[in-house]
Amino acid sequence: MSETDPAVLTMIRNLEAKTGRSLSDWVVLARGTGLGKHKAMVDSLKADHGLTHGYANLVAMTALKSADEPEGEALVDAQYGAAKAALRPLYERIVAHVRSLGPDVEVAPKKAYVSLRRTKQFALLQPSTAARLDIGLNLKGVEPSGRLEASGSFNAMCTHRVKVQADSDVDAELLGWLQDAYSRA
């Protein structure tokens, strides 16, 4: 949950309007409980302060987030640093294509991969080795064939995987699968 996301910014404004306390005030209060687990903190905020689940979740996530935890582009930089730096141009090319699919594409970096979302996740990009970028796709009902493999143990959030090792692997076939996954989301 990024504090630069428009939906999160709206929640932050509404939290203060509805409770009279800013997010930072709620974070200080939540940290003061000494609770270190997300669920316990959410439950406490709901029971002791009457927050709805959404607001309690926002406060708990913010309160428990480490100050030095990377977000956004810093997560991508960490994924494609050092040994995996040669994969960054492949990543950038794929992301540029995906962004061209529509204005509703959300590129959401996580610690180990980047989620590509619309109304739901339709693909993910993961630098699995120093020489391979794995593309996870959600293509329910499509039979695996050739380089469009069943996802297997790669990632439970995807139905298929395509291994990309060179610029030539980012071809019309792969871009078509990305378009198909986007259309289904």
Side-chain angles (χ1 to χ4, degrees), residues 78-143:
Q79 290 173 27
Y80 294 93
K84 297 179 181 179
L87 297 173
R88 184 73 181 253
L90 295 172
Y91 164 83
E92 296 292 347
R93 183 171 168 206
I94 293 166
V95 167
H97 171 73
V98 168
R99 286 185 192 275
S100 76
L101 296 175
D104 57 348
V105 170
E106 177 189 355
V107 177
K110 309 297 182 204
K111 190 169 187 172
Y113 62 90
V114 173
S115 175
L116 303 175
R117 302 180 47 82
R118 192 175 183 192
T119 54
K120 60 183 180 178
Q121 178 174 279
F122 63 89
L124 65 80
L125 309 175
Q126 178 176 308
S128 296
T129 71
R132 190 182 80 235
L133 175 63
D134 285 334
I135 314 299
L137 297 163
N138 284 323
L139 295 169
K140 287 186 174 126
V142 174
E143 280 296 315

Side-chain angles (χ1 to χ4, degrees), residues 9-10 41 69 71 74 77 84 86 98 103-104 137 139 141 147 153 158 172 180:
L9 290 172
T10 299
M41 192 175 285
E69 187 176 301
E71 279 192 26
D77 291 342
K84 297 179 181 179
V98 168
D104 57 348
L137 297 163
L139 295 169
R147 64 188 189 131
S153 63
C158 297
D180 189 11

Side-chain angles (χ1 to χ4, degrees), residues 134 144-152 154 159-163 177:
D134 285 334
S145 176
R147 64 188 189 131
L148 181 65
E149 306 172 350
S151 119
F154 162 63
T159 59
H160 296 77
R161 169 177 65 175
V162 178
K163 297 175 182 176
W177 289 322

Side-chain angles (χ1 to χ4, degrees), residues 1-86:
M1 187 179 292
S2 170
E3 289 182 35
T4 59
D5 180 327
V8 175
L9 290 172
T10 299
M11 270 189 86
I12 292 169
R13 283 192 303 274
N14 290 342
L15 174 67
E16 185 165 5
K18 290 182 181 194
T19 68
R21 291 184 178 173
S22 68
L23 176 61
S24 59
D25 291 340
W26 280 109
V27 166
V28 168
L29 186 146
R31 287 181 178 159
T33 65
L35 298 170
K37 297 286 185 185
H38 179 84
K39 183 178 181 336
M41 192 175 285
V42 168
D43 290 346
S44 171
L45 290 165
K46 288 166 61 176
D48 300 340
H49 301 283
L51 290 184
T52 63
H53 182 80
Y55 290 134
N57 185 54
L58 172 68
V59 171
M61 286 181 68
T62 305
L64 294 171
K65 187 166 96 178
S66 169
D68 60 353
E69 187 176 301
E71 279 192 26
E73 201 60 29
L75 287 168
V76 175
D77 291 342
Q79 290 173 27
Y80 294 93
K84 297 179 181 179

